[in-house]
Amino acid sequence: MTRAAILLCVLAFAACGAPRGPAPRPPATSISAERPLAELPPQDLGQGQCGMALWQRTEPARRIAYILDEPPSARVVDSGDVIALARTSSEGDAIARHAPLQRFAGAGRSLVIEVRIEQREGLLSGAIIPEGTLTWQSASGSVVVPVFGLIGCR
């Protein structure tokens, strides 16, 4: 092959949009979207409380958060420990004593849940959460997770 032919091949390859340089990497602070939080063990619901249990939409589904109306707090498992975060704000009309948008924080972590809450006929002392999102932020990074759940009152 002559020099002209080699140069022509190199130019043709470059013109085809060959990638230049290494591919961009995700931020070093991202958390795996598949398992950002560990599965939460069963939680107790005291007399007079309403609890919201949220499951991550995975196969199989995993319970990853438990929200209490009193005291207003959220429980999750992070780094192997069950931690409680205090509610810092809530917005929207409460159903079964839970607002559709709630924010929690503590110990350098934060949690935001935004859910659709439905009361259904025949369901006593609670509600259904057909869909929603949970946004988790910690020193490891942040992630948004699709969730569904239930609210039960005792």
Side-chain angles (χ1 to χ4, degrees):
M1 221 181 214
T2 68
R3 281 180 114 178
I6 293 173
L7 182 59
L8 186 59
C9 286
V10 169
L11 290 174
F13 181 75
C16 290
R20 294 182 179 104
R25 294 184 185 185
T29 59
S30 68
I31 300 174
S32 167
E34 291 187 22
R35 301 241 183 233
L37 297 168
E39 186 161 10
L40 187 66
Q43 300 293 300
D44 291 329
L45 183 62
Q47 190 65 35
Q49 290 180 314
C50 287
M52 176 191 296
L54 296 175
W55 283 265
Q56 182 179 2
R57 288 193 178 274
T58 54
E59 195 57 48
R62 299 177 316 115
R63 184 181 42 249
I64 60 170
Y66 190 67
I67 316 307
L68 284 174
D69 69 320
E70 196 56 49
S73 58
R75 296 180 192 157
V76 296
V77 175
D78 185 36
S79 302
D81 296 320
V82 175
I83 61 166
L85 304 171
R87 185 170 65 204
T88 58
S89 69
S90 63
E91 296 176 31
D93 295 331
I95 297 176
R97 299 192 334 221
H98 281 279
L101 175 61
Q102 298 183 53
R103 292 178 180 85
F104 305 86
R109 302 169 177 108
S110 68
L111 174 73
V112 177
I113 61 157
E114 190 165 2
V115 295
R116 184 165 51 96
I117 304 171
E118 295 180 357
Q119 287 187 308
R120 296 203 178 154
E121 191 174 326
L123 182 62
L124 303 175
S125 300
I128 302 289
I129 300 166
E131 64 185 3
T133 57
L134 178 151
T135 304
W136 173 249
Q137 187 161 3
S138 70
S140 301
S142 63
V143 68
V144 177
V145 178
V147 295
F148 67 96
L150 294 169
I151 298 174
C153 299
R154 185 169 178 206

